[in-house]
Amino acid sequence: MNCIFCKIAAGEIPSAKVYEDESVLAFKDLNPAAPVHVLVIPKAHIESLDCVNGENIDLVSKVISAIPVVAKAAGLENGYRVITNIGEDGGQTVKHLHFHVLGGTKLTEKLN
Ligand code: 5GP
Ligand code: ZN
């Protein structure tokens, strides 16, 4: 499958890793939108949160459980924001489920 995040998860494309376990990888976004901008992904391919089902929910739950660990490792002690874009209208450019973890500054309230 020609998926850039699958290639990052497989180590075929380098990334600045922040956290890793057997199912989950977190790495710095190449084009950060905040002082801290980390992407948290399942190593196995899931297209988006819209594809969550009974088969993959355990994996998705591992990804979500890693988010506070990632936030702590990144020093986000005063709060942060988690975003996942879904599909065309959601602005998803990489079709492999990922949670943006943003922080390191007071973020604006703008959501669109
Ligand atoms: P989306 O728009 O799909 O929600 O977010 C995709 C994110 O992946 C973007 O913020 C983009 O900067 C990031 N990104 C795209 N390609 C790469 C890459 O090769 N390496 C890293 N570290 N981030 C990437
Ligand atoms: Zn993938």
Side-chain angles (χ1 to χ4, degrees):
M1 189 188 308
N2 196 23
C3 169
I4 194 159
F5 285 0
C6 281
K7 288 179 181 163
I8 286 175
E12 291 164 19
I13 293 176
S15 67
K17 290 179 192 176
V18 175
Y19 170 87
E20 181 172 22
D21 64 33
E22 61 177 16
S23 321
V24 179
L25 179 66
F27 54 96
K28 292 183 183 176
D29 196 292
L30 206 56
N31 184 23
V36 174
H37 187 170
V38 176
L39 303 173
V40 189
I41 69 167
K43 288 185 174 176
H45 187 86
I46 299 172
E47 187 168 319
S48 79
L49 203 64
D50 197 48
C51 300
V52 173
N53 57 39
E55 303 274 291
N56 61 27
I57 187 64
D58 287 351
L59 174 55
V60 173
S61 131
K62 285 177 184 167
V63 177
I64 292 171
S65 299
I67 290 174
V69 180
V70 168
K72 194 156 199 161
L76 299 176
E77 286 167 5
N78 204 35
Y80 55 96
R81 183 171 294 160
V82 177
I83 295 172
T84 189
N85 296 324
I86 300 166
E88 201 58 34
D89 281 2
Q92 183 181 11
T93 58
V94 178
K95 304 290 192 286
H96 179 129
L97 174 65
H98 52 282
F99 294 92
H100 297 257
V101 176
L102 297 149
T105 189
K106 174 83 176 160
L107 299 165
T108 70
E109 291 174 13
K110 201 169 184 314
L111 284 179
N112 60 354

Short mmCIF file of all heavy atoms in Angstrom, two decimals, residues 46-53 56-57 60 64 84-87 92 96-99:
data_model
loop_
_atom_site.label_atom_id
_atom_site.label_comp_id
_atom_site.label_asym_id
_atom_site.label_seq_id
_atom_site.Cartn_x
_atom_site.Cartn_y
_atom_site.Cartn_z
N ILE A 46 -5.30 2.14 9.36
CA ILE A 46 -6.74 2.42 9.46
C ILE A 46 -6.91 3.75 8.74
O ILE A 46 -6.14 4.68 8.97
CB ILE A 46 -7.20 2.56 10.93
CG1 ILE A 46 -6.95 1.27 11.72
CG2 ILE A 46 -8.67 2.96 11.01
CD1 ILE A 46 -7.21 1.40 13.23
N GLU A 47 -7.91 3.84 7.86
CA GLU A 47 -7.98 5.04 7.02
C GLU A 47 -8.28 6.32 7.80
O GLU A 47 -7.65 7.36 7.59
CB GLU A 47 -9.00 4.83 5.91
CG GLU A 47 -9.00 5.98 4.92
CD GLU A 47 -9.80 5.67 3.67
OE1 GLU A 47 -9.71 4.53 3.17
OE2 GLU A 47 -10.52 6.57 3.20
N SER A 48 -9.26 6.26 8.69
CA SER A 48 -9.62 7.45 9.48
C SER A 48 -10.50 7.02 10.63
O SER A 48 -10.89 5.85 10.73
CB SER A 48 -10.37 8.48 8.62
OG SER A 48 -11.73 8.10 8.48
N LEU A 49 -10.87 7.98 11.47
CA LEU A 49 -11.76 7.65 12.59
C LEU A 49 -13.12 7.19 12.09
O LEU A 49 -13.86 6.51 12.81
CB LEU A 49 -11.91 8.88 13.50
CG LEU A 49 -12.33 8.62 14.95
CD1 LEU A 49 -11.27 7.82 15.70
CD2 LEU A 49 -12.60 9.92 15.68
N ASP A 50 -13.45 7.54 10.87
CA ASP A 50 -14.72 7.10 10.28
C ASP A 50 -14.74 5.60 10.01
O ASP A 50 -15.79 5.03 9.75
CB ASP A 50 -14.96 7.88 8.97
CG ASP A 50 -16.40 7.81 8.51
OD1 ASP A 50 -17.29 8.05 9.35
OD2 ASP A 50 -16.64 7.50 7.32
N CYS A 51 -13.56 4.97 10.07
CA CYS A 51 -13.45 3.53 9.79
C CYS A 51 -13.32 2.70 11.06
O CYS A 51 -12.99 1.52 10.99
CB CYS A 51 -12.25 3.26 8.89
SG CYS A 51 -12.35 4.10 7.32
N VAL A 52 -13.56 3.32 12.21
CA VAL A 52 -13.46 2.56 13.47
C VAL A 52 -14.61 1.57 13.55
O VAL A 52 -15.76 1.90 13.22
CB VAL A 52 -13.48 3.51 14.69
CG1 VAL A 52 -13.55 2.72 15.99
CG2 VAL A 52 -12.23 4.36 14.69
N ASN A 53 -14.30 0.34 13.95
CA ASN A 53 -15.32 -0.70 14.07
C ASN A 53 -14.91 -1.68 15.18
O ASN A 53 -13.87 -1.51 15.83
CB ASN A 53 -15.51 -1.41 12.73
CG ASN A 53 -14.22 -2.01 12.21
OD1 ASN A 53 -13.42 -2.54 12.98
ND2 ASN A 53 -14.00 -1.93 10.91
N ASN A 56 -11.28 -3.07 15.02
CA ASN A 56 -10.06 -2.27 15.26
C ASN A 56 -10.14 -1.36 16.48
O ASN A 56 -9.19 -0.64 16.77
CB ASN A 56 -9.68 -1.47 14.00
CG ASN A 56 -10.76 -0.49 13.57
OD1 ASN A 56 -11.54 -0.02 14.39
ND2 ASN A 56 -10.80 -0.18 12.29
N ILE A 57 -11.25 -1.41 17.22
CA ILE A 57 -11.43 -0.49 18.34
C ILE A 57 -10.36 -0.67 19.43
O ILE A 57 -9.95 0.31 20.06
CB ILE A 57 -12.86 -0.58 18.93
CG1 ILE A 57 -13.10 0.51 20.00
CG2 ILE A 57 -13.15 -1.95 19.51
CD1 ILE A 57 -13.05 1.91 19.51
N VAL A 60 -7.44 1.30 18.24
CA VAL A 60 -7.72 2.74 18.34
C VAL A 60 -7.64 3.18 19.80
O VAL A 60 -7.13 4.25 20.11
CB VAL A 60 -9.10 3.08 17.72
CG1 VAL A 60 -9.47 4.53 17.97
CG2 VAL A 60 -9.07 2.78 16.21
N ILE A 64 -5.39 6.17 21.47
CA ILE A 64 -5.92 7.24 22.32
C ILE A 64 -5.24 7.21 23.70
O ILE A 64 -4.88 8.26 24.25
CB ILE A 64 -7.45 7.13 22.43
CG1 ILE A 64 -8.07 7.46 21.06
CG2 ILE A 64 -8.01 8.07 23.51
CD1 ILE A 64 -9.56 7.18 20.95
N THR A 84 -8.42 15.27 14.90
CA THR A 84 -8.27 14.27 13.83
C THR A 84 -9.16 14.70 12.66
O THR A 84 -10.36 14.92 12.83
CB THR A 84 -8.57 12.83 14.33
OG1 THR A 84 -8.20 11.91 13.30
CG2 THR A 84 -10.02 12.61 14.72
N ASN A 85 -8.55 14.89 11.53
CA ASN A 85 -9.29 15.29 10.33
C ASN A 85 -9.80 14.04 9.62
O ASN A 85 -9.09 13.03 9.56
CB ASN A 85 -8.38 16.10 9.40
CG ASN A 85 -7.94 17.42 10.04
OD1 ASN A 85 -8.71 18.05 10.76
ND2 ASN A 85 -6.71 17.82 9.79
N ILE A 86 -11.01 14.13 9.08
CA ILE A 86 -11.63 12.97 8.44
C ILE A 86 -12.12 13.35 7.05
O ILE A 86 -12.98 14.25 6.90
CB ILE A 86 -12.81 12.45 9.29
CG1 ILE A 86 -12.31 12.01 10.68
CG2 ILE A 86 -13.54 11.30 8.57
CD1 ILE A 86 -13.42 11.81 11.70
N GLY A 87 -11.56 12.70 6.04
CA GLY A 87 -12.05 12.83 4.67
C GLY A 87 -11.84 14.22 4.07
O GLY A 87 -11.17 15.09 4.63
N GLN A 92 -8.54 16.04 5.58
CA GLN A 92 -7.55 14.96 5.79
C GLN A 92 -6.71 14.80 4.53
O GLN A 92 -7.25 14.49 3.46
CB GLN A 92 -8.28 13.64 6.12
CG GLN A 92 -7.32 12.50 6.43
CD GLN A 92 -8.06 11.19 6.74
OE1 GLN A 92 -9.26 11.08 6.55
NE2 GLN A 92 -7.30 10.21 7.21
N HIS A 96 -4.38 7.88 6.62
CA HIS A 96 -4.00 6.90 7.65
C HIS A 96 -4.32 7.60 8.97
O HIS A 96 -3.78 8.69 9.22
CB HIS A 96 -2.51 6.56 7.52
CG HIS A 96 -1.97 5.58 8.52
ND1 HIS A 96 -1.22 4.45 8.15
CD2 HIS A 96 -2.01 5.56 9.87
CE1 HIS A 96 -0.85 3.79 9.24
NE2 HIS A 96 -1.32 4.44 10.31
N LEU A 97 -5.19 7.00 9.77
CA LEU A 97 -5.65 7.63 11.01
C LEU A 97 -4.51 8.26 11.79
O LEU A 97 -3.49 7.61 12.06
CB LEU A 97 -6.34 6.58 11.89
CG LEU A 97 -6.77 7.03 13.28
CD1 LEU A 97 -7.85 8.11 13.22
CD2 LEU A 97 -7.25 5.84 14.11
N HIS A 98 -4.68 9.53 12.14
CA HIS A 98 -3.68 10.19 12.98
C HIS A 98 -4.36 11.25 13.82
O HIS A 98 -5.29 11.91 13.39
CB HIS A 98 -2.56 10.82 12.14
CG HIS A 98 -3.03 11.73 11.04
ND1 HIS A 98 -3.53 11.26 9.85
CD2 HIS A 98 -3.08 13.07 10.96
CE1 HIS A 98 -3.86 12.28 9.08
NE2 HIS A 98 -3.61 13.40 9.73
N PHE A 99 -3.86 11.38 15.05
CA PHE A 99 -4.33 12.42 15.95
C PHE A 99 -3.23 13.47 16.05
O PHE A 99 -2.09 13.15 16.40
CB PHE A 99 -4.64 11.83 17.34
CG PHE A 99 -5.81 10.88 17.33
CD1 PHE A 99 -5.62 9.51 17.14
CD2 PHE A 99 -7.11 11.36 17.48
CE1 PHE A 99 -6.71 8.64 17.12
CE2 PHE A 99 -8.20 10.49 17.47
CZ PHE A 99 -8.00 9.13 17.28
#
